[in-house]
Amino acid sequence: MKALILVGGFGTRLRPLTLSVPKPLVDFGNKPMILHQIEALKACGVDEVVLAINYRPQVMLSFLKEFEAKLGIRITCSQETEPLGTAGPLALARDKLQDGSGDPFFVLNSDVISEYPLKRFIEFHRICGGEASILVTKVDEPSKYGVVEMNEKTGKVQRFVEKPQIFVGNKINAGIYLLNQEVLNRIQPKPTSMEKEVFPKIAAEGKLYAMVLPGFWMDIGQPRDYISGLRLYLDSLKKNNPQKLAAGQHVVGNVIIHESAQVGDGCLIGPDVSIGQNCVIESGVRLSSCTIMGGVRVKKHACISGSIIGWHSTVGQWTRVENMTVLGEDVHVCDEVYSNGGVVLPHKEIKSSIPKPEIVM
């Protein structure tokens, strides 16, 4: 069975992190975003993953080569020379996806994090007998998204409504699909939208079905949603794999700490914190609702909340970092500095406070 992951372009919404690596390789929960998806695909029987990409494909492939052997799954690239939307990449990768088996194939948006109930989804698709199935998720504010109107009993999709101004439903496209091979005959290798062009036609023919996604869902393609997604992911770990969470007097709520990280005395870590490989958290540090990526040193009595600290950075003593501050790779914040929503590009030294949200070039 095969899968295509829509990797896309430059990851501008997650800068400055994506100035160092392509967006799918940004760490989330102590492993690259895309690895969460590849592991879930492998677990449900997928043996080949095609990455639809138009930005730095060699960086992606060379990084993922080690996981090919580890997971026993083939990973290849289909490179766009121009942006092809959410459907065009399928036509471009047609030769890789059509293998003569007749099996359906997965399509995933690389920004999406969830519990990936893919075995249940395969069974749902088989029972419904449609040409395409999509996962949908319930949201509180559907007017920001494309809403899927569906028959609650059968799962048959009636129509898509893009950013409705009046309430038509609260289920939105979750960015995970299971498609029969014949869907490829509907798509040309040109800029095309699955949501606005392909799916409405399949729905009009009564061949599109939707399964409501159990558990959490988040598009983590921008910092605020990334932090929210981390909280949901750690909640899910607590329910399904509590042994992966850290424990101890210094831990409050759901926290993951890489086994190679060092945490000093008198720290208070959590809730909703991820500490990466080879990090050093010195004594008396306070961390909450934040990601500390690999190789970071947080010095004594620093306080970090609601922020993302990029690889190999340093946060000085008695420094306070909060309100969606994002430090790129190798940023060094001096002692007794305050950052209120600063977005700092890689390889910078911050000697003075950032009192209000701004980009530091």
Side-chain angles (χ1 to χ4, degrees), residues 80-94 184 186-194 197-198 201:
E80 303 167 43
T81 53
E82 60 169 333
L84 293 175
T86 52
L90 278 70
L92 192 65
R94 183 191 309 269
L184 294 170
R186 297 176 179 267
I187 306 168
Q188 298 300 313
K190 63 181 184 181
T192 316
S193 166
M194 287 299 283
E197 297 170 69
V198 180
K201 288 178 184 172

Side-chain angles (χ1 to χ4, degrees), residues 166-181:
I166 59 169
F167 185 84
V168 295
N170 66 345
K171 296 179 186 70
I172 65 162
N173 175 5
I176 301 173
Y177 318 133
L178 194 51
L179 311 178
N180 288 354
Q181 305 264 327

Side-chain angles (χ1 to χ4, degrees), residues 229-247:
L230 180 64
R231 175 178 58 78
L232 296 171
Y233 171 70
L234 294 176
D235 277 346
S236 172
L237 275 188
K238 184 178 182 181
K239 287 179 200 142
N240 301 315
N241 291 294
Q243 70 279 4
K244 292 188 177 180
L245 295 175

Side-chain angles (χ1 to χ4, degrees), residues 312-331:
H312 309 294
S313 293
T314 305
V315 176
Q317 294 185 47
W318 296 102
T319 286
R320 186 176 187 90
V321 173
E322 63 186 18
N323 191 27
M324 223 49 64
T325 290
V326 183
L327 305 186
E329 181 183 18
D330 183 40
V331 169

Side-chain angles (χ1 to χ4, degrees), residues 292-357:
I292 312 295
M293 293 187 178
V296 167
R297 178 177 287 269
V298 182
K299 294 189 176 179
K300 294 177 181 177
H301 307 294
C303 179
I304 302 171
S305 67
S307 298
I308 304 171
I309 311 300
W311 309 268
H312 309 294
S313 293
T314 305
V315 176
Q317 294 185 47
W318 296 102
T319 286
R320 186 176 187 90
V321 173
E322 63 186 18
N323 191 27
M324 223 49 64
T325 290
V326 183
L327 305 186
E329 181 183 18
D330 183 40
V331 169
H332 301 282
V333 183
C334 294
D335 296 347
E336 300 179 25
V337 165
Y338 173 56
S339 174
N340 174 25
V343 174
V344 184
L345 272 64
H347 315 300
K348 300 289 178 192
E349 184 178 29
I350 303 298
K351 295 180 178 179
S352 56
S353 290
I354 305 170
K356 62 182 192 295

Side-chain angles (χ1 to χ4, degrees), residues 7-57:
V7 172
F10 302 109
T12 50
R13 296 182 303 160
L14 259 188
R15 284 179 181 167
L17 302 171
T18 50
L19 295 173
S20 297
V21 298
K23 180 173 59 177
L25 300 184
V26 171
D27 292 335
F28 178 84
N30 282 351
K31 59 185 163 188
M33 286 184 192
I34 200 167
L35 199 54
H36 292 270
Q37 298 186 331
I38 292 173
E39 287 176 350
L41 289 165
K42 171 64 180 176
C44 79
V46 170
D47 50 27
E48 182 175 350
V49 174
V50 180
L51 307 177
I53 188 168
N54 60 25
Y55 176 59
R56 298 169 78 182

